[in-house]
Amino acid sequence: QVQLVESGGGLVQAGGSLRLSCAASGRTFSRYAMGWFRQAPGKERVFVAAISWSGLTTHYADSVKGRFTISRDKAKNTVYLQMNSLKPEDTAVYYCAADEAIPPWRRPPDYWGQGTQVTVSS
């Protein structure tokens, strides 16, 4: 079992940047891949980015490639999502996720954080 807590969300103007953090606790000795999903009002939760346990392999949704960067600090049990050149359509609740499965994930991850709101104004 692993617990995930997101932070770093907030309000930012279009073109600005935010960095989300997700701190993991619990059975962190397991080799979990981690990632981010987002859900806008009235829409389905969709994949944003994922990173392997080693940190050597990353995956991104086409909508965020070139703008978002996922990384992890294994010593701190923390994964980050650096979001640059933000657009109003990036507005959503962002959820941290973890799974022992190797990305790209073919099913919803096993563990989820509570979500953090990101709002991008025009």
Side-chain angles (χ1 to χ4, degrees), residues 4-9 20-22 36-38 45 92-97 112-118:
L4 306 173
V5 179
E6 304 98 330
S7 62
L20 305 183
S21 299
C22 175
W36 295 89
F37 290 70
R38 67 187 183 188
R45 189 174 300 186
V93 176
Y94 283 70
Y95 296 90
C96 181
W112 296 88
Q114 82 286 354
T116 185
Q117 177 71 48
V118 172

Side-chain angles (χ1 to χ4, degrees), residues 8-9 15 21 27 33 36 43 45 47 50 56-58 60 72 74 82 93 95-96 99-100 105 111-112 122:
S21 299
R27 202 172 68 196
W36 295 89
K43 295 187 177 181
R45 189 174 300 186
F47 170 78
L56 297 176
T57 304
T58 57
Y60 297 95
R72 71 188 302 167
K74 295 177 69 176
Q82 178 67 46
V93 176
Y95 296 90
C96 181
D99 203 297
E100 292 183 337
W105 290 317
Y111 304 103
W112 296 88
S122 59

Side-chain angles (χ1 to χ4, degrees), residues 39-84:
Q39 187 168 20
K43 295 187 177 181
E44 298 291 322
R45 189 174 300 186
V46 298
F47 170 78
V48 175
I51 188 167
S52 64
W53 172 84
S54 68
L56 297 176
T57 304
T58 57
H59 303 267
Y60 297 95
D62 288 343
S63 59
V64 306
K65 284 182 178 178
R67 300 189 298 121
F68 291 10
T69 303
I70 188 170
S71 62
R72 71 188 302 167
D73 185 334
K74 295 177 69 176
K76 295 182 178 180
N77 295 318
T78 300
V79 65
Y80 304 95
L81 186 67
Q82 178 67 46
M83 305 185 295
N84 298 327

